[in-house]
Every structure is written in C-alpha cells, then in structure tokens.
Amino acid sequence: MNYLSTRGHPDRKRFCEILLEGLAPDGGLYLPEHYPQVDTATLARWRSLPYAELAFEILSLYIDDIPPADLKAICARTYTPAVFGTEEIVPLRELEDGVYLEALSSGPTLAFKDMAMQLLGNLFEYELARRGAELNILGATSGDTGSAAEYAMRGKKGVRVFMTSPDGRMSPFQQAQMFSLQDENIHNIAITGVFDDCQDIVKAVSNDLGFKRKYRIGTVNSINWARLLAQVVYYFAGYFQATAANDKPVSFTVPSGNFGNVCAGHVARMMGLPIQTLVVATNENDVLDEFFRTGIYRVRAAVDTHETSSPSMDISKASNFERFIFDLVGRDAARLRALFVEELGGQGRFDLSADAAFGEAAQRFGFKSSRSTHADRLATIRDTDKRFATLVDPHTADGLKAAREHLVAGVPMVVLETALPIKFAATLVEALGHEPERPARFEGIEALPKRVVKLPADVEAVKAYIAQNCD
Ligand SMILES: *Cc1c(COP(=O)(O)O)cnc(C)c1O
C-alpha cells in the first residue's frame, strides 16, 4: 500500500515512512492510494474475531512494511483486557430501543484517544528500534491528547515526551493524571500562559529546522494516519455487536472536534462496511455542522472559539477535514489545493454550496450533522441518568442529542462514547448535583507526588529544557 498527499505531491510513501512524520512536505495530509474493499465473506470471517485479531486484519490491509507476525504481536499486546478493562475492548450496550453506546473510554486515560495512542506507542517503539533511532515528542495539550500520549509512551524505549500545558488551567484530575507519572522519559512542562501560548511554542520549535533535526523532534497530533487507522477498527467492532448479520445497515454518531474520529468512520464506510449515516455532533463551535448544513466551510478566529463544557470539541478549524474533502472532490488534488491553500488560506473560508459535490456529502458519503449547547448537554446528562441510570460525559451527551435527531426506524444508531464522566466532573456536578463515580485506580491521585517543571511562555526556555534533557 502506498500513501499520497492530499495536495498532489508526486512522492509515494510506505506506512512506516509516514508513521513518524506529520504533514506531507507540501502541507497536505497522507491518505492511502485506495481504500481496500471488504466483501461480505470477509465480514463474515471477521465477525467472530477478538478485537486484537480484528485490528490485525484491518491494519494488514494498510501496512505491508512490517512483517505480519510482528504486526500481529503489536496488536495483541496493545488491545488487552488488562489495558482496556473488558474482553470486548469496546463493549456495546443498548440504551433504549435502537440507540446504543459504544464504550471507547475505558483505557488508561479514560478517553477514546487511548484506542489509537496505545497502538501508536507500540508502533513507535518497534519502528525506532528497527531504525536504531530516537524521537522526542513535543506537544501542547489542554487535557485529553497530552495524557493519552504520555500514557502511551511512558517507559517506551527510544521515545521521550515533552508535553506543554497551560499552568493551572487543566482540571485537577487531568493535572494529576499527567503530573503523577514518574517515568524518566515523560516531561511535563507547565507554561505560565494559556493553551495558545503552548501551541505557539510548539510551532516555533518545529519551525526551527536546525533544532528540530538535531533533537529529532516529532509530534503525535491527530493528523497522524496511524492514529486514524487504529480508529477504523472500532467501527467494525461496533457494527458486529449491533447486528446479527452483515447485510444490515448501522449508523454512527460521533462527537467531533478535529474530525479524526468521524473520518475513521468515513474510511470504514469507504471500505464497504454497511454504514448508513455518519452523524457529526458538534458543540457551540459548529464549523463542521455549518458545513454539512450549508456547504460553507468557514474557520473561526481564536477569539471566536467558545470555551465550552465539552472542551475537547472546542476547535476553530478541523485539522482532518481536508482528508474528507479530498474524497468529496473526487481526489482532485488541484481542486483541493485551490480550496485549502487559496480560498481557506486567503479568505478563511470556502463555499461548495453551489457545487454538485456538496450534495454528495449527504447522498453518497452519508454525512449528517447536529449542534448542541451547554443547556442541551445538561439536559441530556440528566435525562440519561434518570431514564437509564447511566452517566455520560458532556462530549458523549453532545453525541446522544445529535443521534436522536437522525434516528431511522430499523437502523441501529451507535453513539461513540468518547470520555468517562469523571474527567469532566464539574459539569456532571452542575447537571446532577453530585460527583460521578471514580474508577478505583484513580482514587486519591490528586495527592500523589507531581513531576512537572514550570517554565515561562518563552521558546528559548523550552528549547534549553529539551536540550538539557536529551543526553
Ligand atoms: C478528542 C476528543 C473529541 C474530538 O475528536 P476528534 O477526533 O478531534 O474529532 C471528542 N471528545 C473527546 C472526549 C475527545 O477527547
């Protein structure tokens, strides 16, 4: 399998070449040259496989530069009941007639990002050992991504993590999750500033090509193809649990921010998994909902990005969206470049409302969308507690609300649960008046010793810290 760039760069690459890279050299995103097709006989064979073996089957279609036995071993040690809490790994439960919740957040950091990041940690360790190389991952986090990356990379050979976060601005639980890690290769850097300062520092360091090369700086952001690929697996696993046979359509609703999660659903659908509808659920930051309703994609400025109670969906621009638009415009790289480089780069928007392609987003690709507010989240959390004795986190609540707006009789609707309520306790308290239950392994983590350095919002200070800690 070869990978190409959405912006038309002539080079073709193999999986392990793009594994440790971010964007393609022309600023595009990597995609496979084609989507392997899965027929009904294959679906029938996959239906009964344990999760790790299903992951191996799907990954094998996209990865041909890791020997199969090694890839199988990597999947087997990633997706274990010990790490993800159950035999099923992503158990499905019916909430009410036709509406299901697929549990994706029982991993080490209690958010669905573990599903991909845990695999990435093992793939990185494997590939770096094979090359005799090292990688220093530099990131900025306001919560979920940073902790998922740290728990995936802790103790891994050849990898160090330098994770910046805005000092004092994460929830006490999120801080405790990250800062209590005592592993030598994990470095928490609390920056005196806000999240944008952290992101600016990461950008500035990455733009210093000399420093980047010398200290082998890499990232694990959501545009990484391996992360997206790992997420394709749980659409198949959800489908098999929601149906008894492979001729029945299923729809999915996905709480969305950077469009990584739902883009994996798009890939599964392109492979031939019988997905009827992919519902994109957004909060007040509704760039994606606006596009699917109107055909206009209009990115927001930082000041127009709302701070909401589903903060992992607070985005002004969806970094993985370019992958879907590439397919929507028939993989025409020149067209894609005109939209993303000229129009979006120039005016901060593009408009497909008068284009035949826009109609295909719903018709041919099955996309629909909805938007929720803080009041909707509180109402959904209360209603789900009252009627089903089930607590959902604010992101999953956005999903449930959207799902109900797109139900079709006879078609199971699977809502992806993207985090556990304990991660967003303040909103649960606001809705219900009490704290959600905390898994036993997180009892008292706020009191554990913390491993974190405090640095000013200054690029040179962060560079100096990295240099000192990369012997
Ligand atoms: C990251 C995240 C999302 C958004 O996922 P995308 O892949 O960026 O669309 C939604 N909910 C939670 C809890 C998250 O951590």
Side-chain angles (χ1 to χ4, degrees), residues 111-113 144-145 222 231 255-262 312-313 393 395 418-419 424:
F112 86 98
K113 290 188 173 67
D144 288 350
T145 307
S222 81
Q231 294 171 347
S256 294
N258 275 319
F259 206 75
N261 198 355
V262 74
S312 299
M313 295 156 67
D393 97 288
H395 306 78
T418 55
F424 302 96

